[in-house]
């Protein structure tokens, strides 16, 4: 909780962890704790759980809260903890957010409610309700229209940011890079913006973004964190080299639906006990695994370095 009053410290590479399951589909808390320790040893600047990569919609509220509590305990205030606590239902969102608040989360990541396709006014009221319920908890809006079928418009972002002191920023997961710029222009350059699109993580920093929540940090945490550090110390050419070196791993993540490929890689590396993903997802097909192995070979320099540490 020590970062809650200093949200400016929630920067850099915030790793959005997968949620490990056993072969039978149960939560694997022991593997989850191990992933936290690995991320911290690799230099990730913060940890998240319960975002899209964590399969939240395939879990019960109780399971999500159990994972949040375990991760908070394992981090033990060493880096910022920013769990995803949103749902398509307001009561569930409030319940999970309350549990994250009690567990010591430094901020909560709230996805736009999916499937219903609410209007911008409805989205404003959604976030306003959550902000009013948790005035002492920093909130980060989460815009991911490819999954939710609704986009949080720049003017709505700006309105919420102006009206609520505890709404501190937004995670933007849209391939429309113009949208990033319009959000910052509308809300003001002091808003905190994180990229959730892997190949826009580095470009966002040039616009004034404060970091990224990149799924590729599940398999290359040291490299993703280092890319941010190089940029912030002015070593832009070196940061760009890492950006391009990560391309094969970015492609790997989406050979089939995220997080199935990442889980397969982590299982092969012995970091989790099973590659299981819950329905409606499936573990990678034979064709998918063949493609994953090709991409792993293309990024062997990064993958091998990550194995060393």
């Amino acid at each position: 909780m020590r970062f809650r009053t200093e949200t400016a410290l929630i920067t850099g590479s915030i790793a959005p962890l997968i949620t490990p399951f056993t072969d039978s589909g149960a939560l694997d808390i022991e593997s989850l704790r191990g992933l936290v320790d690995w991320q911290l040893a690799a230099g990730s600047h913060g940890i998240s759980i319960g975002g899209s990569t964590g399969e939240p919609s395939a879990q019960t509220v109780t399971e999500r809260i159990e994972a949040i509590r375990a991760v908070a305990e394992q981090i033990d205030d060493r880096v910022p903890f920013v769990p995803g606590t949103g749902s398509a239902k307001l009561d569930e969102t409030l319940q999970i957010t309350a549990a994250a608040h009690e567990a010591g989360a430094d901020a909560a990541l709230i996805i736009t409610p999916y499937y219903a396709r609410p209007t911008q006014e409805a989205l404003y009221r959604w976030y306003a309700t959550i902000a009013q319920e948790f005035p002492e908890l920093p909130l980060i809006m989460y815009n991911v229209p490819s999954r939710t079928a609704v986009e949080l418009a720049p003017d709505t972002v700006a309105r919420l940011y102006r009206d609520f002191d505890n709404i501190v920023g937004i995670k933007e997961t849209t391939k429309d890079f113009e949208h990033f710029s319009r959000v910052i222009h509308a809300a003001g350059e002091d808003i905190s913006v994180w990229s959730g699109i892997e190949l826009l993580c580095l470009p966002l920093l040039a616009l004034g973004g404060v970091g990224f929540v990149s799924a590729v940090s599940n398999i290359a945490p040291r490299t993703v964190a280092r890319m941010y550090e190089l940029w912030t110390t002015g070593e832009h050419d070196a940061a760009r080299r890492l950006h391009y070196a990560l391309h094969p791993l970015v492609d790997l993540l989406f050979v089939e639906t995220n997080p199935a490929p990442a889980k397969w890689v982590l299982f092969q590396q012995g970091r989790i006990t099973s590659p299981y993903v819950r329905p409606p997802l499936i573990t990678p097909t034979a064709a998918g695994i063949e493609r994953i192995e090709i991409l792993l070979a293309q990024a062997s320099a990064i993958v091998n370095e990550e194995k060393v540490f």
Side-chain angles (χ1 to χ4, degrees), residues 284-303:
T285 61
I289 290 172
E290 182 179 359
R291 179 64 179 154
I292 288 168
E293 290 177 335
I294 290 170
L295 292 165
L296 276 175
Q298 291 176 7
S300 60
I302 286 176
V303 173

Side-chain angles (χ1 to χ4, degrees), residues 22 34 36 71 98 119 122 140 146 160 191 213 216 256 269 297 307:
T22 65
V36 171
V71 172
T119 65
I140 299 170
S146 65
L160 285 161
I191 189 173
V213 188
V216 78
E256 293 180 7
Q269 293 176 339
K307 285 182 178 178

Side-chain angles (χ1 to χ4, degrees), residues 20-104:
F21 301 120
T22 65
D23 282 333
S24 64
L27 280 177
D28 183 355
I29 295 298
E30 184 177 353
S31 288
L32 181 58
R33 290 180 180 275
L35 289 177
V36 171
D37 288 341
W38 178 50
Q39 289 288 338
L40 296 181
S44 289
H45 307 114
I47 301 289
S48 183
I49 185 75
S52 302
T53 301
E55 301 175 73
S57 61
Q59 296 176 54
T60 66
V61 168
T62 299
E63 288 173 325
R64 292 183 65 183
I65 290 173
E66 182 181 357
I68 286 170
R69 288 172 175 163
V71 172
E73 183 179 84
Q74 199 69 22
I75 293 172
D76 193 26
D77 276 345
R78 288 177 285 176
V79 297
F81 178 39
V82 186
T85 62
S87 165
K89 297 177 65 180
L90 183 59
D91 61 336
E92 291 182 354
T93 298
L94 295 176
Q95 183 180 353
I96 298 168
T97 305
H101 188 225
E102 293 168 3

Side-chain angles (χ1 to χ4, degrees), residues 81-215:
F81 178 39
V82 186
T85 62
S87 165
K89 297 177 65 180
L90 183 59
D91 61 336
E92 291 182 354
T93 298
L94 295 176
Q95 183 180 353
I96 298 168
T97 305
H101 188 225
E102 293 168 3
D106 296 290
L109 182 66
I110 312 288
I111 195 169
T112 52
Y114 36 90
Y115 187 77
R117 302 184 69 181
T119 65
Q120 293 301 306
E121 178 61 26
L123 288 171
Y124 175 87
R125 296 184 189 184
W126 173 275
Y127 281 105
T129 299
I130 300 166
Q132 289 165 343
E133 186 76 16
F134 303 100
E136 297 180 358
L137 178 65
L139 302 179
I140 299 170
M141 299 169 282
Y142 179 12
N143 184 43
V144 54
S146 65
R147 287 185 180 265
T148 63
V150 65
E151 181 164 87
L152 196 56
D155 286 346
T156 306
V157 173
R159 183 182 171 197
L160 285 161
Y161 183 65
R162 285 193 303 267
D163 290 354
F164 299 96
D165 290 341
N166 59 325
I167 293 182
V168 299
I170 185 167
K171 175 188 173 184
E172 283 288 356
T173 306
T174 171
K175 292 185 177 181
D176 179 3
F177 196 48
E178 182 178 297
H179 182 89
F180 286 76
S181 185
R182 293 192 180 280
V183 164
I184 295 171
H185 182 255
E189 294 183 13
D190 57 340
I191 189 173
S192 294
V193 181
W194 296 262
S195 175
I197 295 291
E198 281 65 34
L199 295 184
L200 294 181
C201 288
L202 187 62
L204 176 62
L205 299 181
L207 295 181
V210 299
F212 23 86
V213 188
S214 170

